[in-house]
């Protein structure tokens, strides 16, 4: 991935030069507030971007940038469906009026043959009846960040004044339910709640009634606020399984709140067993669903378990475009929608090199692993450790991922055969 930053931003060949059926599709995480948020989650990987990118705190995405982005995003894709994803920071800080402009601009530039959809990732603290009515009216899919029951959620997800947020989030969820707004649950699996897998899973499925769950492992390099992924000091990278390759050590490669690799495996195994025995066909869990799909020989539904990446970019509030949501660092900036054509940035030699780097930089340990076709080294930003042989580029979560896939293999194969 680091190598990609030296590749010129030269547009790739146009779709017209390829065989019939070639489609240009990609996904952009839009951050209209930048890193500005009304919470101060201890594990947040994005709050520091304001200082890192030298951005003003009091301004969100302006009207010109918004229109430039929406117009170019629509024009640069030729699939039947175009999905806008609004994240942050906290996007609801922009207010309902901002998103009314979003919908109006989408209608202005929407071609007749393409369908436009929106999703909104939120902490739900500001969701009220007005928000819920708007989201329902315009068919927004909402993702709510919630880490489990009160005591686990409030461990890390606090207001900027240090107060708990659980009750505020539940109030927002109640508003969504009252107005029939579909919502998913996104749980960040950190060092704390990873030890309570069934409490987390049962709360999300039984207490709030989520039928789609996204489990995201919390992994951050200890110097993530200053150092971009793959720009770490090689001589400081530990071997997997060593004390420095776990959270809590004074000299750990990761932050204290990062999930322990073994706990990640235990968490996945416990929730997978519960999912298979009670919720198969009723609840969708992102990592389990895509494991079934991949076991059937089909492409991954997620970038983290696909062999290549590079089709999930991020745009900041000032129009700056970055290679990935987790690579919003100066080293990985591609350009700006005010001065560059979005399709030239997305479909460029540099972004292609970035995406291909996911597979091309895998260590021998991964290439020889029987679980490779279900893992593909997971997210490159988590490749923080060395293989047992000392080779760079192994994923920090490898022990947990391998334990889960080994345990789940017979059941994945059974489900795949049932669906075939």
């Amino acid at each position: 991935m680091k190598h990609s930053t030296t590749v010129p931003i030269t547009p790739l060949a146009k779709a017209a030069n390829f065989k019939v059926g070639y489609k240009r599709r990609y996904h952009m995480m839009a951050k209209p507030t930048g890193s500005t948020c009304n919470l101060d989650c201890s594990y947040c990987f994005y709050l520091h971007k304001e200082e890192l990118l030298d951005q003003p705190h009091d301004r969100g995405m302006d009207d010109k940038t918004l229109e430039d982005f929406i117009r170019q995003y629509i024009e640069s894709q030729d699939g039947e469906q175009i999905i806008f994803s609004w994240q942050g920071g906290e996007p609801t800080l922009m207010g309902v009026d901002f998103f009314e402009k979003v919908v109006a601009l989408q209608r202005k530039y929407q071609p007749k043959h393409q369908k436009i959809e929106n999703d909104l990732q939120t902490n739900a603290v500001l969701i009220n009846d007005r928000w819920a009515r708007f989201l329902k009216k315009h068919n927004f899919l909402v993702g709510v960040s919630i880490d489990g029951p009160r005591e686990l959620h409030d461990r890390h997800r606090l207001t900027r004044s240090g107060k708990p947020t659980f009750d505020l989030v539940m109030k927002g969820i109640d508003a969504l339910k009252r107005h029939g707004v579909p919502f998913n649950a996104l749980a960040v699996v950190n060092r704390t709640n990873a030890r309570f897998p069934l409490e987390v899973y049962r709360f999300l499925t039984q207490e709030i009634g989520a039928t789609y769950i996204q489990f995201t492992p919390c992994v951050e390099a200890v110097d993530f606020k200053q150092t971009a992924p793959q720009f770490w000091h090689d001589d400081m990278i530990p071997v997997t399984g060593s004390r420095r390759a776990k959270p809590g050590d004074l000299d750990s490669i990761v932050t204290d709140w990062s999930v322990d690799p073994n706990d990640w495996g235990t968490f996945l195994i416990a929730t997978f067993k519960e999912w298979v025995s009670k919720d198969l066909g009723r609840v969708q869990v992102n990592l389990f669903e895509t494991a079934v799909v991949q076991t059937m020989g089909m492409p991954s539904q997620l970038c983290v378990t696909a062999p290549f990446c590079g089709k999930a970019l991020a745009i900041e509030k000032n129009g700056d475009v970055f290679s990935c949501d987790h690579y919003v660092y100066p080293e990985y900036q591609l350009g700006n929608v005010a001065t560059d054509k979005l399709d030239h940035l997305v479909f460029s030699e540099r972004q292609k090199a970035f995406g291909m780097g996911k597979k091309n930089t895998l260590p021998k340990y991964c290439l020889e692993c029987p679980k490779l076709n279900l893992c593909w080294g997971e997210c490159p930003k988590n490749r923080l450790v060395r293989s047992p042989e000392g080779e760079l580029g192994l994923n920090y979560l490898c022990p947990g991922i391998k334990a889960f896939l080994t345990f789940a293999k017979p059941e994945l194969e059974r489900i795949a055969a049932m669906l075939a």
Side-chain angles (χ1 to χ4, degrees):
M1 319 299 279
K2 179 179 179 180
H3 170 71
S4 70
T5 62
T6 65
V7 176
I9 302 179
T10 305
L12 295 169
K14 293 292 185 181
N17 296 334
F18 291 84
K19 63 182 180 181
V20 175
Y22 178 89
K23 297 289 186 182
R24 291 199 166 196
R25 298 188 180 109
Y26 66 98
H27 188 222
M28 184 77 72
M29 304 283 192
K31 299 176 176 291
T33 66
S35 62
T36 303
C37 189
N38 49 350
L39 301 191
D40 190 15
C41 303
S42 57
Y43 56 56
C44 184
F45 74 96
Y46 216 80
L47 281 175
H48 73 287
K49 301 299 183 183
E50 182 177 289
E51 295 180 6
L52 181 70
L53 304 178
D54 193 26
Q55 293 182 346
H57 174 73
D58 57 345
R59 293 200 300 273
M61 185 176 284
D62 61 39
D63 290 349
K64 182 181 184 304
T65 303
L66 178 65
E67 185 160 7
D68 283 344
F69 163 57
I70 290 177
R71 175 179 54 80
Q72 292 192 49
Y73 190 57
I74 292 173
E75 292 175 350
S76 61
Q77 304 202 56
D78 49 20
E80 295 79 13
Q81 183 185 57
I82 300 173
I83 299 176
F84 284 81
S85 294
W86 305 95
Q87 300 192 357
E90 175 50 44
T92 60
L93 288 171
M94 295 299 292
V96 173
D97 291 344
F98 173 85
F99 283 94
E100 291 281 10
K101 287 188 284 188
V102 165
V103 173
L105 287 168
Q106 290 173 344
R107 288 174 177 166
K108 178 180 177 180
Y109 293 107
Q110 180 180 6
K112 291 182 179 180
H113 67 283
Q114 289 177 309
K115 182 179 181 181
I116 290 178
E117 296 186 358
N118 290 276
D119 59 63
L120 179 81
Q121 185 64 46
T122 177
N123 56 41
V125 167
L126 296 180
I127 299 295
N128 54 22
D129 286 330
R130 185 188 178 199
W131 263 112
R133 283 193 295 269
F134 167 83
L135 296 168
K136 178 63 175 180
K137 177 181 177 181
H138 298 290
N139 300 310
F140 273 63
L141 174 64
V142 178
V144 176
S145 295
I146 184 165
D147 289 351
R150 182 189 303 275
E151 58 274 17
L152 296 176
H153 177 89
D154 284 341
R155 179 67 180 269
H156 292 284
R157 300 189 66 81
L158 304 173
T159 66
R160 301 193 73 79
S161 59
K163 296 180 180 179
T165 64
F166 180 81
D167 288 335
L168 297 173
V169 176
M170 293 301 290
K171 186 177 179 181
I173 291 175
D174 287 342
L176 295 175
K177 288 181 176 180
R178 279 198 306 275
H179 292 273
V181 180
F183 71 93
N184 301 333
L186 187 155
V188 176
V189 183
N190 52 71
R191 190 180 175 195
T192 304
N193 65 355
R195 300 168 185 172
F196 303 91
L198 294 183
E199 289 84 347
V200 172
Y201 181 84
R202 289 171 181 171
F203 172 79
L204 297 178
T205 57
Q206 299 174 19
E207 295 297 319
I208 69 171
T211 55
Y212 183 90
I213 301 171
Q214 180 178 336
F215 288 133
T216 301
C218 182
V219 180
E220 296 300 337
V222 71
D223 59 349
F224 75 98
K225 292 184 178 181
Q226 297 83 30
T227 307
Q230 277 70 55
F231 281 83
W232 309 297
H233 295 293
D234 290 353
D235 57 351
M236 298 295 291
I237 295 179
V239 173
T240 183
S242 64
R243 62 174 182 81
R244 292 187 58 240
K246 292 177 175 291
D249 188 88
L250 290 176
D251 199 25
S252 176
I253 194 69
V254 297
T255 58
D256 283 346
W257 56 81
S258 294
V259 63
D260 182 282
N262 294 326
D263 287 345
W264 176 236
T266 301
F267 182 94
L268 291 177
I269 289 170
T271 53
F272 180 77
K273 288 168 65 178
E274 182 88 352
W275 176 72
V276 168
S277 64
K278 296 183 178 180
D279 295 322
L280 184 64
R282 186 184 73 85
V283 175
Q284 292 180 290
V285 180
N286 64 334
L287 294 173
F288 304 158
E289 296 282 338
T290 201
V292 171
V293 167
Q294 288 174 276
T295 300
M296 296 174 70
M298 295 186 287
S300 170
Q301 300 169 335
L302 305 173
C303 60
V304 293
T305 54
F308 308 104
C309 61
K311 288 294 189 73
L313 298 90
I315 183 168
E316 260 289 338
K317 62 182 180 181
N318 65 349
D320 286 344
V321 177
F322 295 85
S323 288
C324 173
D325 181 35
H326 288 282
Y327 283 75
V328 178
Y329 291 84
E331 293 89 340
Y332 292 97
Q333 183 181 345
L334 297 171
N336 187 287
V337 291
T339 55
D340 305 287
K341 293 189 66 175
L342 189 56
D343 63 335
H344 286 183
L345 302 178
V346 176
F347 303 108
S348 66
E349 292 290 350
R350 176 176 292 186
Q351 188 63 7
K352 177 184 176 182
F354 176 85
M356 298 293 288
K358 184 178 192 293
K359 181 179 180 181
N360 294 341
T361 58
L362 284 170
K364 183 179 179 182
Y365 185 79
C366 291
L367 297 175
E368 295 178 349
C369 178
K371 308 297 187 298
L372 177 64
N373 65 324
L374 297 181
C375 170
W376 292 108
E378 210 253 353
C379 183
K381 70 100 177 170
N382 294 335
R383 295 180 184 178
L384 291 160
V385 297
R386 297 175 183 268
S387 71
E389 295 76 27
E391 190 177 2
L392 291 168
L394 184 65
N395 196 291
Y396 164 84
L397 295 169
C398 178
I401 295 172
K402 185 176 289 187
F404 163 65
L405 292 176
T406 299
F407 172 85
K409 181 181 178 182
E411 197 62 41
L412 290 173
E413 292 176 343
R414 183 187 72 82
I415 298 170
M418 181 177 65
L419 296 174

